[in-house]
């Protein structure tokens, strides 16, 4: 983890991204306005509609021409927004007056918002040009009925255009589809791209255009009524002539292509080639494509479909005709894996002016297609957590971010499987997503999923060794290298390395195995449930053998590979095998809690703590881990009960000094939190007699005393104690304050003293800085650099939980001193990328809701509302505290709209110059 971590979901310059989005929203509004003009043109007597010429939209009549400038603003227009347009109007007016352009000239400024007060006075004044109309929502005094009334936003623009489209006689095409297709054609014309390269639409040709758009789409499969896009979803049209899109049945390939076709202005054709023989493919595609593209062009179809011409010759003629007209066409071939690669090659090689998108299921045929056509398969990445939650919410399901993350692991995110699983949750598990996941994970569900039914057909085609490979590796949800995977197979099924490698190669061709990097791979998430079911069918001993083998390979690499997901997997193997000792030992480690591992085993630790069959030491340390976690969650009643159990275990079993110190320190902090000064003092006195007089023990004890002082409200004493400790830790690490100021962790690491690991000392230094910052802030003063430096050292210690918590506190501090830009920068550069990169599912919703509030403080209310809307599907699945936080954030955003915050803090000019 890096304090300056970044991922592709977030822009390096958020303000630049906001400007780019604003510009494109303006262009889209302009294109939709042009669509509305096309719909009105014939009835209004318009002969031509011109886009992006002298003005945004120009309407040509037989005796006049209207020039319209279109503006979108989030607030009232001012003169500087339109002075350029007024200057152009003046120049165009002279062109007409002096006879260089025929007919009269009229002008319009179309705006989604009303003019500001000063501009409004100018419009009403005598000096405003009489031939310039200013039209905005609610101001409908248009020059001509050909000019539609503008709309306040893009959503209203699209709805209005769709309503008009629904009145046209093209019922085979959804109104929304026609609007998007026309908007795409207008965008192409604005760029000077054929077939309207002169930026002009001839009104008498519009019926033919509408009909052409219908023809392009009528053979595509109908898209889902409520299509949800996939993660990083590709566009249908690209610069590549040939593309190969792969995915299991249920991955949403056909839905994707039918949906993206709605937003494409290129010439399109769709063919399901599942039942077409390879030799007949070229002829079948060629003749239908020719009729589709040129069937209404007088004479052209006859030129292309010459008597006796074969499929390849027809395709060549098609390509030549397209080239003459400066056009291209894209052909979508579904189920392309059913056609021999050689036949596909002949079809595709016939003309370079024909583009192809091949949809295929992963199998050995896909590898042959890749090799023959020299293309690389593109996968569809499935639904994101957010998309699955939106689908679940539409079905009435309840689940938080973690629950949907579990669901996506079970379904691989494939849309059909995820949607089907959510329907099963809604119908059979009281709409509880987490309950469904638990049932599927434990193989106790009674309703067979679409995933199992569809993929079972593929699984049944595997050889026995291939099924065994999928079964053994289904235990792992993280990539393993080939040596590790072969070791698991050898232990579980006595499959030797060469045979294992052969099975891996074959499974990779079928898509059952996903490869990461050079030689790391895992079973596809969608296939893992079937593999696990097969493993269970092999008997309990085989399951235990596979789990033990996986545990051993993970343990062997743990000292050199601290990957968080591998540790999670190791913990699950410990639990499955009943390995108590390593679990209770880990539960007492601070960094174990920092990495979020405790949630993975808390239920198991609870069972250990309650079991009379376990040793007193194991029960004690299980309770210790639960209490440590409880301090962060704030369940005082539960902690009091567990501390009492720990005291009883120490007393009855005469446990050692380490156990007495552990429960004593926690008892002292608990008493301090409750304001019980007497118990704190008594515990301090008791512990001082027990504490070993080593520097390490004394520093930890002094920190706990300082923490207790803070809880008791003795902030000055707390600050003084932490300051002494911070100085000691700096000396211990060989650092000075100057070594840390203005540096990121990667620059600080080389300055540490010696070669030994400093993880514990870095964590403890960060704790002291964090506590000092809390104490200072509790007095109403800003924490200075305490929290900033704590964040750096938590990052260096890989203390993820504290890193996120302190980063959130630092964001709040930025807000409190009116530095909203600094708060947003902290969110976008550090906090949001870190929780997503590290897959901290439990932190996603709190951090993103805080981000929405920060956006509101920055004045980006639309973005803030959109972020909160994206979080709404999770709300019903959260606990009471989480729901309350979301409600408070939503109320705060609403309050900021009514009562804006103070202005953004600005650095003093002299400091800024430095």
């Amino acid at each position: 983890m890096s304090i300056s971590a970044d991922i592709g979901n977030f822009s390096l310059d958020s303000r630049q991204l906001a400007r780019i989005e604003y510009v494109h929203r303006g262009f889209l509004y302009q294109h939709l306005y042009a669509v509305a003009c096309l719909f009105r043109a014939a009835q209004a007597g318009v002969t031509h509609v011109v886009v992006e010429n002298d003005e945004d939209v120009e309407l040509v009549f037989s005796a006049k021409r209207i020039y319209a400038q279109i503006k979108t603003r989030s607030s009232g227009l001012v003169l500087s927004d339109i002075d350029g347009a007024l200057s152009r109007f003046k120049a165009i007016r002279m062109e007409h007056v002096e006879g260089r352009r025929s007919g009269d000239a009229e002008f319009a400024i179309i705006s989604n918002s009303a003019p500001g007060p000063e501009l409004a006075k100018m419009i009403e004044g005598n000096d405003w040009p009489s031939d310039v109309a200013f039209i905005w929502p609610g101001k409908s005094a248009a020059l001509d009925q050909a000019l539609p009334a503008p709309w306040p936003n893009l959503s209203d623009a699209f709805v209005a255009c769709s309503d008009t489209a629904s009145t046209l006689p093209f019922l085979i095409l959804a109104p929304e589809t026609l609007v998007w297709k026309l908007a795409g054609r207008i965008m192409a014309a604005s760029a000077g791209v054929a077939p309207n390269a002169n930026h002009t639409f001839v009104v008498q040709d519009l019926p033919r255009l509408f009909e052409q758009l219908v023809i392009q789409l009528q053979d595509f499969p109908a898209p889902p009524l409520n299509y949800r896009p996939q993660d990083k979803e590709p566009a249908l049209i690209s610069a590549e002539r040939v593309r190969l899109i792969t995915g299991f049945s249920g991955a949403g390939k056909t839905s994707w292509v039918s949906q993206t076709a709605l937003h494409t202005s290129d010439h399109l054709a769709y063919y399901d080639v599942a039942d077409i023989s390879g030799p007949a493919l070229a002829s079948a595609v060629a003749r239908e494509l020719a009729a589709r593209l040129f069937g209404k062009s007088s004479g052209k179809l006859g030129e292309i479909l010459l008597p006796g011409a074969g499929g390849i010759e027809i395709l060549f003629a098609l390509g030549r005709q397209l080239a003459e007209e400066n056009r291209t066409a894209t052909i979508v071939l579904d189920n392309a894996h059913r056609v021999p690669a050689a036949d596909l090659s002949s079809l595709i090689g016939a003309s370079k002016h024909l583009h192809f998108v091949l949809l295929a299921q992963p199998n050995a045929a896909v590898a042959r297609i890749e090799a023959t056509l020299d293309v690389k398969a593109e996968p569809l990445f499935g639904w994101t957590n957010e998309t699955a939650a939106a689908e679940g919410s539409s079905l009435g399901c309840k689940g938080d971010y973690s629950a949907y993350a579990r669901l996506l692991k079970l379904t691989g995110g494939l849309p059909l499987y995820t949607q089907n699983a959510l329907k099963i949750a809604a119908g059979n598990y009281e709409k509880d997503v987490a309950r469904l996941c638990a049932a599927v994970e434990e193989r106790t569900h009674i309703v067979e999923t679409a995933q199992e039914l569809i993929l079972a057909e593929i699984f049944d085609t595997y050889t026995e060794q291939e099924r065994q490979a999928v079964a053994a590796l289904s235990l792992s949800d993280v990539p393993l290298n080939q040596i590790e995977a072969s070791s698991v197979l050898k232990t579980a099924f006595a499959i030797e390395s060469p045979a294992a490698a052969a099975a891996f190669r074959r499974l990779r061709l079928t898509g059952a195995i996903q490869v990461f990097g050079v030689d790391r791979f895992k079973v596809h998430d969608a296939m893992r449930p079937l593999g696990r079911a097969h493993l269970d069918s092999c008997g309990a001993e085989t399951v235990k053998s596979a789990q033990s083998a996986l545990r051993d390979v993970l343990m062997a690499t743990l000292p050199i590979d601290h990957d968080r997901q591998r540790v999670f997997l190791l913990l699950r193997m410990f639990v499955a095998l009943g390995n108590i000792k390593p679990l209770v030992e880990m539960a007492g480690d601070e960094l174990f809690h920092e990495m979020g591992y405790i949630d993975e085993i808390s239920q198991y630790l609870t069972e250990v703590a309650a079991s009379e069959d376990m040793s007193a030491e194991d029960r004690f340390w299980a309770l210790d881990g639960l209490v440590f976690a409880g301090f962060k969650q704030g369940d005082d009643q539960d902690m009091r009960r567990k501390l009492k159990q720990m005291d009883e275990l120490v007393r009855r079993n005469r446990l050692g000094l380490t156990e007495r110190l552990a429960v004593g320190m926690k008892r002292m902090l608990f008493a301090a939190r409750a304001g019980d000064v007497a118990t704190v003092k008594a515990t301090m006195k008791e512990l001082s007699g027990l504490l070993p007089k080593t520097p390490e023990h004394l520093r930890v004890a002094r920190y706990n005393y300082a923490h207790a002082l803070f809880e008791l409200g003795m902030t000055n004493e707390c600050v003084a104690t932490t300051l002494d400790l911070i100085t000691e830790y700096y000396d211990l690490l060989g650092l000075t304050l100057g070594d840390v100021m203005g540096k990121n962790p990667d620059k600080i690491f080389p300055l540490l003293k010696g070669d030994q690991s400093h993880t514990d000392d870095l964590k403890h230094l960060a704790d002291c800085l964090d506590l000092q910052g809390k104490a200072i802030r509790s007095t109403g003063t800003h924490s200075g650099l305490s929290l900033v430096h704590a964040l750096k050292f938590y990052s260096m210690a890989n203390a993820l939980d504290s890193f996120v918590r302190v980063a959130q506190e630092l964001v709040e501090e930025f807000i409190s001193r009116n530095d909203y830009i600094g708060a947003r920068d902290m969110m976008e550069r550090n906090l949001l990328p870190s929780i997503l990169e590290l897959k901290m599912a439990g932190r996603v919703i709190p951090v993103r809701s805080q981000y929405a509030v920060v956006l509101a403080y920055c004045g980006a209310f639309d973005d803030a509302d959109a972020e909160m809307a994206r979080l709404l599907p999770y709300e019903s699945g959260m606990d009471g505290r989480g729901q309350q936080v979301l409600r408070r954030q939503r109320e705060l955003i609403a309050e900021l709209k009514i009562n804006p915050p103070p202005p953004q803090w600005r650095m003093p000019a002299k400091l800024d110059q430095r």
Side-chain angles (χ1 to χ4, degrees):
M1 177 185 63
S2 167
I3 196 169
S4 58
D6 200 3
I7 56 174
N9 302 62
F10 296 94
S11 171
L12 187 63
D13 186 340
S14 58
R15 282 165 284 187
Q16 171 72 359
L17 177 62
R19 287 192 292 270
I20 291 169
E21 291 174 344
Y22 185 82
V23 168
H24 284 280
R25 282 197 293 268
F27 282 133
L28 181 55
Y29 186 97
Q30 179 180 313
H31 297 331
L32 289 174
Y33 194 84
V35 169
C37 290
L38 287 178
F39 286 153
R40 287 171 169 249
Q43 188 175 2
V46 176
T47 61
H48 298 77
V49 176
V50 184
V51 294
E52 285 292 359
N53 191 38
D54 284 325
E55 285 304 334
D56 296 332
V57 175
E58 301 171 24
L59 304 180
V60 182
F61 297 77
S62 58
K64 70 176 180 179
R65 191 173 186 130
I66 298 176
Y67 299 86
Q69 169 73 196
I70 301 168
K71 294 290 185 183
T72 54
R73 294 291 185 270
S74 56
S75 57
L77 261 68
V78 296
L79 179 60
S80 60
D81 290 325
I82 63 169
D83 54 2
L86 293 175
S87 297
R88 283 194 307 279
F89 289 174
K90 184 177 180 180
I92 294 169
R93 187 181 294 116
M94 290 305 299
E95 292 287 302
H96 284 267
V97 169
E98 295 176 1
R100 285 186 292 275
R101 296 191 186 187
S102 61
D104 296 329
E106 296 178 356
F107 305 93
I109 295 174
I110 312 295
S111 173
N112 72 318
S113 61
E118 293 185 10
L119 182 57
K121 288 181 182 178
M122 291 182 62
I123 295 169
E124 296 298 327
N126 294 329
D127 293 335
W128 186 261
S130 61
D131 59 355
V132 178
F134 200 119
I135 309 169
W136 65 88
K139 174 71 164 56
S140 58
L143 287 173
D144 196 283
Q145 64 171 334
L147 286 173
W151 320 278
N153 52 54
L154 279 173
S155 298
D156 289 350
F158 180 68
V159 169
C161 288
S162 298
D163 289 345
T164 304
S166 67
T167 65
L168 298 176
F170 293 100
L171 298 180
I172 194 170
L173 197 62
E176 296 85 355
T177 301
L178 182 58
V179 171
W180 285 129
K181 296 288 289 184
L182 283 172
R185 185 60 65 87
I186 288 167
M187 181 172 65
S190 299
V193 175
N196 303 96
N198 62 352
H199 298 241
T200 301
F201 292 85
V202 180
V203 173
Q204 68 180 15
D205 291 341
L206 290 181
R208 192 186 314 158
L209 170 63
F210 294 161
E211 185 180 72
Q212 181 187 52
L213 297 176
V214 172
I215 290 172
Q216 285 179 354
L217 284 173
Q218 64 185 18
D219 286 342
F220 270 79
L225 292 176
N226 187 16
Y227 180 77
R228 300 190 189 277
Q230 302 199 37
D231 188 25
K232 302 181 185 70
E233 188 169 274
L236 178 58
I237 306 300
S238 79
E240 300 295 327
R241 260 202 73 226
V242 183
R243 296 167 64 204
L244 176 60
I245 310 296
T246 60
F248 288 123
S249 177
K253 301 182 296 298
T254 305
S255 296
W256 163 74
V257 79
S258 59
Q259 179 68 23
T260 52
L262 302 182
H263 306 277
T264 302
S265 62
D266 204 2
H267 295 283
L268 301 173
Y270 170 90
Y271 301 97
D272 186 341
V273 296
D275 299 319
I276 297 178
S277 66
L281 178 64
S283 178
V285 170
R287 293 184 178 276
E288 289 196 34
L289 184 61
R292 183 178 302 279
L293 294 180
F294 298 105
K296 294 187 178 293
S297 300
S298 177
K300 294 295 183 186
L301 189 61
E303 294 175 18
I304 293 167
L305 296 179
L306 295 172
I312 300 300
E313 292 142 318
I314 295 172
L315 289 170
F316 180 79
L318 277 171
R320 184 179 58 201
Q321 188 62 46
L322 288 168
E324 289 177 4
E325 298 180 9
N326 196 25
R327 293 195 291 165
T328 59
T330 298
I331 305 168
V332 178
L333 301 181
D334 205 348
N335 289 302
H337 58 282
R338 302 267 190 101
V339 177
D343 293 315
L344 287 173
S345 180
S346 297
L347 172 68
I348 290 167
S351 173
K352 64 181 180 180
H353 296 283
L354 296 175
H355 290 218
F356 290 84
V357 175
L358 312 179
L359 308 182
Q361 295 180 26
N363 58 26
V366 167
R368 289 191 288 273
I369 292 172
E370 287 183 295
T372 303
L373 302 181
D374 192 23
V375 297
K376 185 172 179 59
E378 301 175 48
L380 293 177
F381 293 101
W383 280 353
T384 63
N385 192 300
E386 196 173 282
T387 305
E391 178 68 20
S393 178
S394 72
L395 296 169
C397 292
K398 300 174 294 184
D400 61 10
Y401 193 92
S402 298
Y404 281 104
R406 288 171 69 187
L407 179 66
L408 293 181
K409 271 195 173 183
L410 291 170
T411 63
L414 274 62
L416 176 63
Y417 304 161
T418 306
Q419 186 178 55
N420 172 255
L422 288 168
K423 288 178 179 177
I424 292 173
N428 297 273
Y429 292 90
E430 298 180 332
K431 306 182 187 300
D432 190 327
V433 177
R435 275 190 59 199
L436 168 75
C437 292
V440 174
E441 287 165 351
E442 296 165 7
R443 277 89 52 211
T444 59
H445 59 295
I446 57 175
V447 179
E448 202 161 21
T449 66
Q451 179 176 347
E452 293 167 313
L453 292 170
I454 294 171
L455 294 185
E457 294 183 17
I458 299 174
F459 192 82
D460 289 343
T461 65
Y462 296 158
T463 67
E464 182 57 27
Q465 281 192 341
E466 290 166 355
R467 286 196 289 268
Q468 289 172 341
V470 174
L473 299 185
S474 69
L475 293 172
S476 177
D477 59 355
V478 300
L480 304 174
N481 63 40
Q482 185 168 332
I483 294 174
E484 293 169 336
S486 297
S487 175
V488 173
L489 258 66
K490 184 172 183 179
T491 303
F493 291 108
I495 299 176
E496 295 297 331
S497 294
F504 297 152
R505 288 194 297 271
R506 293 192 299 269
L507 289 170
R508 180 181 178 181
L509 292 177
T510 68
I513 278 181
Q514 295 174 295
V515 178
F516 299 81
V518 179
D519 73 335
R520 295 167 74 88
F521 55 86
K522 72 181 184 74
V523 171
H524 193 293
D525 285 339
M527 192 64 76
R528 284 178 54 230
L530 283 83
R532 185 57 207 268
H534 186 73
L535 182 64
D536 288 343
S537 71
C538 295
E541 284 302 315
T542 302
V543 173
K544 186 175 181 180
S545 178
Q547 290 169 335
S548 298
L550 184 56
R551 175 202 61 196
D552 292 344
V553 300
L554 293 170
M555 286 287 289
T557 58
L558 188 60
I560 56 174
D561 189 347
H562 302 294
D563 179 78
R564 191 163 175 261
Q565 300 307 313
R566 286 173 75 95
V567 177
F568 274 124
L569 179 58
L570 176 60
L571 294 176
R572 291 198 294 275
M573 292 304 102
F574 282 151
V575 171
L577 294 165
N579 298 153
I580 300 166
K581 280 293 183 186
L583 287 173
V584 295
E585 288 172 6
M586 286 177 156
D589 189 322
E590 288 181 55
L591 287 177
F592 179 87
H593 293 264
E594 288 287 353
M595 299 291 282
Y597 298 140
I598 189 66
D599 295 335
E600 193 73 36
I601 63 167
S602 58
Q603 182 59 42
Y604 186 72
L605 291 178
T606 301
E607 294 172 5
V608 170
S611 175
E612 296 289 342
D613 297 330
M614 301 296 175
S615 69
E617 289 86 352
D618 288 340
R619 295 177 64 193
F620 176 90
W621 290 111
L623 286 166
D624 182 78
L626 293 169
V627 169
F628 192 98
F631 269 108
K632 296 184 177 184
Q633 297 165 0
D635 189 342
D636 289 354
Q637 185 174 353
D638 185 59
M639 280 195 293
R640 184 180 290 109
R641 180 175 57 81
K642 286 184 169 64
L643 285 169
K644 184 177 179 181
Q645 290 176 323
M646 292 169 72
D647 277 327
E648 290 176 355
L649 285 168
V650 169
R651 186 175 63 256
R652 290 180 181 177
N653 299 278
R654 298 183 179 181
L655 298 183
L657 177 62
T658 305
E659 287 82 4
R660 292 169 67 188
L661 285 171
V663 69
M665 290 290 183
K666 289 179 175 61
R667 196 178 341 108
M668 179 185 69
L669 291 175
F670 184 74
R673 179 181 288 185
D676 187 348
V677 178
T679 300
V680 170
K681 288 182 176 179
T683 308
M684 279 186 176
K685 184 177 179 180
E686 175 192 343
L687 295 177
S688 63
L690 297 173
L691 194 68
K693 300 304 184 282
T694 65
E696 294 85 355
H697 283 89
L698 290 173
R699 280 193 294 269
V700 173
R702 286 161 60 200
Y703 168 79
N704 281 292
Y705 296 157
H707 199 164
L709 292 170
F710 169 72
E711 295 286 358
L712 292 170
M714 302 168 70
T715 53
N716 290 336
E717 293 88 341
C718 174
V719 170
T721 303
T722 53
L723 184 59
D724 290 340
L725 283 167
I726 290 166
T727 303
E728 284 188 40
Y729 277 117
Y730 265 96
D731 290 340
L732 190 65
L733 293 166
L735 295 174
T736 65
L737 186 60
D739 294 330
V740 179
M741 291 283 290
K743 292 187 177 71
N744 279 336
D746 61 322
K747 303 299 182 185
I748 302 173
F749 266 119
L751 305 178
L752 296 177
K753 183 188 295 182
D755 297 328
Q756 71 272 28
S757 171
H758 292 287
T759 300
D760 287 342
D761 291 330
L762 289 166
K763 167 68 167 56
H764 293 156
L765 172 56
D767 287 338
C768 293
L769 287 161
D770 177 24
L771 181 57
Q772 184 185 73
K774 280 190 176 71
I776 294 171
R777 287 185 70 197
S778 70
T779 66
T781 307
H782 295 311
S783 65
L785 292 173
S786 296
L787 293 184
V788 174
H789 288 178
L791 202 63
K792 294 181 183 183
F793 290 118
Y794 278 135
S795 174
M796 294 171 71
N798 216 26
L800 307 183
D801 193 67
S802 291
F803 175 88
V804 173
R805 175 181 53 77
V806 171
Q808 286 191 269
E809 291 173 6
L810 197 53
V811 167
E812 293 296 333
E813 187 163 310
F814 278 124
I815 293 292
S816 71
R817 58 177 185 245
N818 304 333
D819 187 2
Y820 317 125
I821 295 174
R824 184 171 180 174
D825 188 66
M826 169 66 71
M827 276 280 180
E828 293 176 348
R829 285 183 179 270
N830 299 310
L831 197 44
L832 286 163
S834 292
I835 61 169
L836 294 175
E837 179 185 357
L838 298 165
K839 300 180 181 178
M840 300 178 72
R843 288 286 195 174
V844 170
I845 302 303
V847 170
R848 284 180 57 184
S849 64
Q850 185 186 27
Y851 177 55
V853 172
V854 171
L855 290 172
Y857 271 105
C858 291
F861 292 112
D862 289 347
D863 292 336
D865 289 339
E867 183 69 6
M868 292 303 293
R870 286 191 286 268
L871 300 182
L872 187 61
Y874 299 107
E875 191 165 345
S876 63
M878 301 173 70
D879 60 23
R881 183 184 301 176
Q883 291 182 3
Q884 186 179 17
V885 169
L886 280 185
R887 283 195 295 270
R888 281 204 307 266
Q889 306 287 50
R890 202 174 286 115
E891 290 166 1
L892 178 53
I893 292 169
E895 174 66 21
L896 288 169
K897 291 179 183 177
I898 301 170
N899 300 305
Q904 163 70 32
W905 171 83
R906 300 292 178 190
M907 184 178 292
K910 289 184 179 179
L911 292 177
D912 197 25
Q913 289 169 3
R914 292 179 189 176

